[in-house]
C-alpha cells in the first residue's frame, strides 16, 4: 500500500499539469486570445493550404502580458496518419498584436515582422499549410501561441523538440486557434 501512494500522487500531479506530461502550456494560464481570418473551429480558407497559395494566414493575438518579451508559434495537426505533424514553428516574435500573412519562408525573417523560424515536418523552413491525405477526413490544425518572459537563444532551423526544450520555464501565457481542413 505504501508503494502505491507515491505513484497515485505522481499520477494526480501529472494529470493536473503540475509536472511533466503536458509541457509548458499546462502550467501557464491560457489567457492569450488567438484569431485569424477564420474563427475557432471553422474551415481554413484554401489560400492558406497546399491547394492554394500555401502561405500562412494572419494571426491576431490579444491580451498579451506586459511581461512578455517574445512570442512563439507552433502549428500542428494531431490527426495526421503518422502522429502529430508540425506545420510551422517560429520564435523571437515581438509581442505584437499581429503576425501578418505570407511571412517569408526563411530562417531569419526581417520583415514584415522579425522572427526566427525552424524546420517543419515537411523538412522545410517556415510555414507549410494543411495538406492532409485525400479521403482522410477532416483534420484539426492547432495554431498555438506562447508568450515568453525571454528571447530564445536558439539557432535558426531548429527542430520543434529543440524549441520546446528552450521554452521550458519561460512560458507565461498561451492561447490557441483551431482550424479545420479536408482534401477530397
Amino acid at each position: 500500500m505504501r508503494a502505491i501512494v507515491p505513484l497515485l500522487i505522481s499520477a494526480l500531479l501529472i494529470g493536473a499539469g503540475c509536472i511533466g506530461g503536458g509541457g509548458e502550456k499546462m502550467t501557464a494560464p491560457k489567457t492569450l486570445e488567438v484569431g485569424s481570418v477564420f474563427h475557432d473551429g471553422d474551415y481554413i480558407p484554401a489560400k492558406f493550404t497546399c491547394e492554394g497559395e500555401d502561405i500562412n494566414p494572419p494571426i491576431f493575438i490579444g491580451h498579451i502580458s506586459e511581461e512578455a518579451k517574445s512570442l512563439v508559434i507552433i502549428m500542428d495537426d494531431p490527426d495526421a496518419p503518422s502522429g502529430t505533424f508540425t506545420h510551422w514553428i517560429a520564435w523571437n516574435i515581438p509581442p505584437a498584436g499581429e503576425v501578418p500573412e505570407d511571412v517569408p519562408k526563411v530562417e531569419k525573417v526581417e520583415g514584415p515582422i522579425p522572427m526566427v523560424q525552424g524546420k517543419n515536418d515537411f523538412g522545410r523552413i517556415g510555414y507549410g499549410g494543411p495538406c492532409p491525405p485525400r479521403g482522410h477526413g477532416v483534420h484539426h490544425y492547432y495554431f498555438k501561441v506562447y508568450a515568453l518572459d525571454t528571447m530564445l537563444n536558439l539557432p535558426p532551423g531548429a527542430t520543434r523538440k529543440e524549441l520546446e526544450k528552450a521554452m521550458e520555464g519561460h512560458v507565461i501565457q498561451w492561447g490557441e486557434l483551431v482550424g479545420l481542413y479536408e482534401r477530397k
Side-chain angles (χ1 to χ4, degrees), residues 9 26 30 39 41 57-58 73 78 93 96 111 121 123 127 138 155 165 167 175:
I9 291 172
M26 298 304 284
K30 186 177 180 183
H39 294 288
I73 294 176
I93 304 166
D121 285 345
Y127 177 85
V138 177
K165 180 153 181 54
M167 290 168 55

Side-chain angles (χ1 to χ4, degrees), residues 21-41:
E24 284 298 322
K25 73 177 188 177
M26 298 304 284
T27 59
K30 186 177 180 183
T31 54
L32 287 180
E33 279 189 10
V34 181
S36 189
V37 295
F38 57 92
H39 294 288
D40 191 51

Side-chain angles (χ1 to χ4, degrees), residues 150-166:
T150 190
M151 296 286 282
L152 297 177
N153 185 17
L154 191 63
T159 65
R160 179 178 179 162
K161 186 175 182 179
E162 292 166 329
L163 173 59
E164 288 176 337
K165 180 153 181 54

